Amino acid sequence: MIIRVFGTGCPKCNQTYENVKKAVEELGIDAEIVKVTDINEISEWIFVAPGVAFDDEIVFEGKVPTVEEIKEELKKTLD
């Protein structure tokens, strides 16, 4: 699984990235976490940062998801 975290580097975007890393570690998932910071690439995916995509599906946009919210969505995606 490829998890993309979209954001330009603001505190909310950085917190989202950290929360994704923690959720992946806690679940023991084999996933590649990619930080997307290029504004042109971000705009191809989402309208409001931060955003998170699992593979090619946008899961969160415009908010900082908690570790628990990320874990719930990861479990749904993997089932």
Side-chain angles (χ1 to χ4, degrees):
M1 172 186 284
I2 297 173
I3 301 174
R4 292 177 181 85
V5 180
F6 303 96
T8 56
C10 71
K12 288 182 178 182
C13 299
N14 292 335
Q15 185 60 57
T16 299
Y17 180 78
E18 293 303 318
N19 288 356
V20 167
K21 274 184 16 184
K22 188 167 185 179
V24 167
E25 287 171 11
E26 287 182 10
L27 291 176
I29 295 170
D30 182 27
E32 178 185 353
I33 304 171
V34 179
K35 200 176 204 180
V36 180
T37 57
D38 179 70
I39 194 72
N40 293 320
E41 189 174 352
I42 292 169
S43 66
E44 291 176 20
W45 287 83
I46 61 170
F47 294 110
V48 183
V52 179
F54 299 161
D55 291 324
D56 292 329
E57 184 180 331
I58 299 298
V59 185
F60 299 103
E61 181 177 357
K63 68 172 254 178
V64 178
T66 66
V67 174
E68 288 305 314
E69 287 173 324
I70 297 165
K71 286 166 61 175
E72 278 180 37
E73 289 300 322
L74 280 169
K75 288 176 189 173
K76 286 183 202 172
T77 301
L78 294 171
D79 282 345

